[in-house]
Structures are given as C-alpha cells and as structure tokens.
Amino acid sequence: MDENELRKHVLGGKKTDRVIFAATPEMKAAIEKVAEEKCVSVSALLTSLAFEEIVANKELFAKQGK
C-alpha cells in the first residue's frame, strides 16, 4: 500500500473512536505550544504525528490491503 492509499485508509473514515492517554502538565503545555505555533488544533497535530509514524512503518500494513 503506497502512502496515498494508506492515508485514505486510515484518515478517510468517520471519526468515531477516541484515543485517551496520560500526559504530564509539561507535556500537555508543550504540545499546546507547538500546535499554536503551527496554527493547528492539538487534535490535528497529534493526528499528524501519529500518521507520520504509520507511514514510517507502512510495511506493517502491506499485507492488509484496503
């Protein structure tokens, strides 16, 4: 699966699930600051960072197909 197909596969559906994780106040503040500097929401920043990691490991999805 190439990057474009992978992007469509993981980002194209309806956003119904939530991922919740614990962070220190310092981590939360740092993420908020980065998001503000990039003029994006924290959610968009975290989604972007997660997608970068998915692309870096796209071989894990090669056998799954669409």
Side-chain angles (χ1 to χ4, degrees):
M1 186 178 308
D2 70 11
E3 184 175 335
N4 193 36
E5 290 173 332
L6 187 56
R7 177 180 297 278
K8 288 176 185 177
H9 179 72
V10 300
L11 298 175
K14 186 175 179 184
K15 314 302 187 275
T16 59
D17 291 337
R18 302 244 185 259
V19 176
I20 300 170
F21 62 94
T24 64
E26 294 84 4
M27 174 69 82
K28 182 178 181 240
I31 290 171
E32 289 171 339
K33 184 171 185 78
V34 171
E36 183 180 330
E37 287 296 313
K38 293 182 175 263
C39 298
V40 297
S41 67
V42 170
S43 179
L45 176 63
L46 294 175
T47 298
S48 174
L49 293 170
F51 184 71
E52 287 175 15
E53 193 62 26
I54 290 167
V55 169
N57 292 280
K58 66 184 174 188
E59 69 279 356
L60 297 173
F61 305 96
K63 295 181 183 179
Q64 289 182 359
K66 291 184 179 180

